[in-house]
Amino acid sequence: MGKAVMLHLVFGVLALLGVSMVNAEDPYLYYTWTVTYGTRSILGVPQQVILINGQFPGPKLDVVTNNNIILNLINKLDQPFLLTWNGIKQRKNSWQDGVLGTNCPIPPNSNYTYKFQAKDQIGSYTYFPSILMHRAAGGFGALNIYHRSVIPIPYANPDGDFTLLVGDWYKTNHKRLQQTLDSGKSLPFPNGVLINGQTQNTFSGDQGKTYMFRISNVGLSTSLNFRIQGHTMKLVEVEGSHVIQNFYDSLDVHVGQSVTVLVTLNQPPKDYYIVASTRFTRTVLTATAVLHYTNSHTLVSGPLPAAPAYQFHWSMQQARTYRWNLTSNAARPNPQGSYHYGKITTTKTIVLANSVSSINGKLRYAVNGASYVNANTPLKLADYFSIPGVFSMSSIQDLPSGGAATLATSVMPTSLHDFIEVVFQNNENTMQSWHLDGYDFWVVGFGSGQWTPKKRKTYNLVDALTRHTTQVYPNSWTAILVSLDNQGMWNLRSAIWERQYLGQQFYLRVWTPVRSLSTEYNIPSNFLLCGKAVGRHH
């Protein structure tokens, strides 16, 4: 039944990785990853994929809160390459964010060593290639941050821990997909859905025991619904937030999002279907795996558990049930609810409207009329070295203009320690998924139609969860609150990769005029320079 996934105990991981927690300095973990092409038959057709250390998906990073990661990435592809760490806040350290606005891509047959810390975070995260269409070929993987042994968690240690990277998949080569977008056309519908890069997986556990499932949507474009035949799922964590522990028969997981659930094997001993299927699509693509009881002698059988019969409204209602556990801590000992976000006065309201248009006869996507174009020089380097002419801080406005979309390397200026309200206004008939690097944010409201200031009366200002990626339903809005406490140049983008690639992104410049190590680290000594920054001293 495909590759069986071996159990590993949570306390075993903690014992292995937390052994040096008694030291005064947080532990350093060292990795060397080599990125190559390889051939895999995934949907019945041999195709070129991107491997990391020969693995597809890439190696799983299991770390503990505050661990320091030193990762030497060697690029053996025929194209430049970058990895970004989806949901890792990179405190004071946008130098390591791994997107084109902050980092020069790693040239072929070259390397770069990432140096970053899992500072004050717990939870289930991912990494993936951030440039070109490499993400469509692989190079993605899981990054799980376990709690420090001295910090309690609001549930008993599970008996095992599974990671499921779920996403839509194309048989088409990533270079051809890129050519399609470059020619001004949209991508076709995906060919299938994979779980951990495969169409067949088995997850084994003992009857009566409870297991953690870390589920991430690593696809390019499609929301997914996840469910397990005959079992309920207790939601315990969402992108670093411990949440009220409700039970669900199925969960919608949108592009770029991660959820963590506990599943108790409390059914008769047999094998059960695990199902992930596309949501809100005319053609439904489905991936299955098997939950195997170790004392089972009965193969999986019966119809697949059905997806929710209802669509957007049902999904929005489910999203509203995700709530912060106010009495639980996360990575730090103080309860999550000790930060009363709902009582803070906002310094600015930003309304961001996504749109689709044609510019110079080609398909483009835009935010408030600005369709983002990558610069040859990373914006972070241009800002640091005061290089003019690389980006514009006037090309994107705080509110939608309603005018025709234009190409721009757009940066929105903000100030360190601002507390802002951001409204994502989706006037299109398609799902949206928005991600902000360097931060998590409180998702305080969902609604249909046009947002107006009166909608603030519907906000959850008490126990909204924090996360790094939020969905926006068709012809609807989503409101978030963000505490801008992390200086740097941060990418705000569509997690739907076609839209990101064709312009639905920009950068937030979180800035203070005082340069200090207390707010931002210096440029790393090994930092790659490119574009107009070549030859600068650092």
Side-chain angles (χ1 to χ4, degrees):
M1 223 11 158
K3 180 181 178 183
V5 178
M6 301 300 292
L7 303 183
H8 67 279
L9 299 182
V10 170
F11 60 78
V13 173
L14 293 172
L16 175 66
L17 297 178
V19 66
S20 55
M21 294 305 292
V22 295
N23 294 344
E25 188 174 16
D26 294 307
Y28 282 74
L29 306 177
Y30 295 86
Y31 305 89
T32 298
W33 285 3
T34 302
V35 182
T36 61
Y37 288 126
T39 301
R40 295 287 188 275
S41 292
I42 298 172
L43 293 175
V45 177
Q47 65 182 113
Q48 184 187 70
V49 298
I50 292 176
L51 309 175
I52 299 179
N53 289 356
Q55 299 179 44
F56 171 79
K60 179 156 59 74
L61 280 178
D62 283 330
V63 305
V64 171
T65 299
N66 293 345
N67 280 175
N68 295 281
I69 293 98
I70 312 297
L71 192 148
N72 180 26
L73 187 71
I74 303 168
N75 178 19
K76 292 294 185 180
L77 304 183
D78 59 354
Q79 294 180 317
F81 187 80
L82 272 179
L83 282 181
T84 191
W85 315 95
N86 200 46
I88 304 305
K89 294 181 186 177
Q90 307 290 4
R91 297 289 304 172
K92 303 190 291 185
N93 199 19
S94 64
W95 303 109
Q96 307 294 346
D97 199 31
V99 290
L100 282 178
T102 58
N103 293 81
C104 299
I106 305 166
N109 297 310
S110 186
N111 75 296
Y112 175 69
T113 299
Y114 290 90
K115 300 176 182 179
F116 62 93
Q117 186 180 25
K119 180 67 173 172
D120 291 339
Q121 290 189 261
I122 54 98
S124 305
Y125 303 95
T126 59
Y127 62 84
F128 60 82
S130 65
I131 64 172
L132 305 177
M133 286 298 289
H134 291 156
R135 186 173 173 180
F140 53 77
L143 200 171
N144 300 326
I145 308 178
Y146 293 85
H147 67 283
R148 292 177 290 162
S149 58
V150 296
I151 301 294
I153 52 176
Y155 47 84
N157 280 333
D159 297 293
D161 189 328
F162 300 116
T163 296
L164 287 78
L165 303 176
V166 188
D168 51 27
W169 187 257
Y170 288 89
K171 297 178 182 179
T172 307
N173 182 274
H174 69 96
K175 292 181 181 178
R176 184 171 296 177
L177 293 175
Q178 181 185 337
Q179 290 170 356
T180 298
L181 294 178
D182 290 342
S183 70
K185 300 176 182 177
S186 184
L187 294 180
F189 190 66
N191 299 113
V193 174
L194 304 181
I195 298 176
N196 290 346
Q198 302 179 73
T199 55
Q200 293 181 315
N201 294 268
T202 298
F203 301 87
S204 297
D206 297 333
Q207 187 179 24
K209 292 185 176 180
T210 297
Y211 296 88
M212 176 172 282
F213 285 75
R214 301 172 180 270
I215 306 150
S216 295
N217 186 336
V218 295
L220 296 178
S221 63
T222 315
S223 297
L224 299 169
N225 181 267
F226 184 88
R227 51 206 183 271
I228 301 176
Q229 183 183 29
H231 294 74
T232 57
M233 299 175 287
K234 181 194 286 186
L235 186 67
V236 294
E237 179 258 324
V238 177
E239 295 166 20
S241 278
H242 282 141
V243 296
I244 298 295
Q245 296 176 13
N246 296 321
F247 285 91
Y248 298 87
D249 294 320
S250 73
L251 289 167
D252 281 351
V253 187
H254 306 279
V255 179
Q257 294 185 343
S258 298
V259 298
T260 302
V261 299
L262 295 177
V263 179
T264 300
L265 276 56
N266 55 8
Q267 297 300 304
K270 56 175 246 173
D271 292 356
Y272 295 87
Y273 282 116
I274 297 172
V275 181
S277 60
T278 57
R279 285 282 268 157
F280 322 124
T281 57
R282 287 193 181 93
T283 301
V284 176
L285 302 175
T286 302
T288 61
V290 172
L291 175 60
H292 170 70
Y293 281 47
T294 53
N295 59 341
S296 166
H297 300 287
T298 305
L299 296 178
V300 68
S301 63
L304 297 181
Y310 299 100
Q311 299 295 310
F312 300 116
H313 180 71
W314 183 96
S315 184
M316 187 185 292
Q317 290 294 96
Q318 182 183 81
R320 288 178 175 139
T321 68
Y322 294 5
R323 292 160 44 225
W324 235 10
N325 185 337
L326 297 180
T327 60
S328 167
N329 59 281
R332 304 185 71 171
N334 51 303
Q336 293 178 143
S338 62
Y339 192 95
H340 301 288
Y341 69 93
K343 296 181 179 179
I344 301 173
T345 302
T346 56
T347 54
K348 179 188 288 190
T349 295
I350 300 169
V351 179
L352 301 174
N354 52 274
S355 62
V356 58
S357 61
S358 177
I359 300 177
N360 300 325
K362 293 186 175 182
L363 173 68
R364 296 291 301 186
Y365 299 96
V367 189
N368 287 4
S371 184
Y372 188 85
V373 179
N374 286 305
N376 293 328
T377 306
L379 316 185
K380 182 65 184 167
L381 284 176
D383 203 25
Y384 182 82
F385 290 121
S386 299
I387 302 172
V390 174
F391 61 85
S392 167
M393 286 199 291
S394 60
S395 55
I396 185 167
Q397 304 303 313
D398 294 349
L399 301 172
S401 64
T406 57
L407 301 175
T409 305
S410 41
V411 173
M412 185 176 290
T414 60
S415 297
L416 185 65
H417 303 308
D418 275 358
F419 191 82
I420 63 172
E421 174 188 35
V422 180
V423 178
F424 298 107
Q425 179 67 56
N426 180 17
N427 297 324
E428 299 184 59
N429 294 321
T430 57
M431 281 293 300
Q432 304 292 323
S433 186
W434 282 94
H435 171 85
L436 175 58
D437 281 351
Y439 288 92
D440 54 15
F441 45 74
W442 290 270
V443 185
V444 293
F446 299 94
S448 301
Q450 294 293 311
W451 179 87
T452 66
K454 292 182 179 179
K455 302 294 186 180
R456 293 186 179 119
K457 295 178 181 179
T458 69
Y459 286 3
N460 177 356
L461 297 179
V462 177
D463 60 358
L465 84 166
T466 58
R467 66 185 316 170
H468 57 67
T469 302
T470 188
Q471 70 273 29
V472 190
Y473 295 93
N475 298 298
S476 298
W477 56 268
T478 298
I480 67 173
L481 299 177
V482 194
S483 177
L484 297 181
D485 60 356
N486 193 14
Q487 184 170 331
M489 189 74 73
W490 301 109
N491 192 208
L492 180 54
R493 62 175 177 266
S494 173
I496 298 171
W497 216 239
E498 169 181 319
R499 301 186 74 100
Q500 179 274 157
Y501 184 84
L502 292 179
Q504 191 174 317
Q505 61 168 311
F506 65 95
Y507 283 78
L508 276 181
R509 180 186 187 241
V510 182
W511 188 76
T512 178
V514 179
R515 185 173 288 186
S516 169
L517 290 178
S518 66
T519 56
E520 186 171 30
Y521 298 142
N522 286 330
I523 183 172
S525 59
N526 69 326
F527 206 69
L528 299 178
L529 301 181
C530 56
K532 295 180 179 180
V534 170
R536 303 274 178 157
H537 296 290
H538 66 286

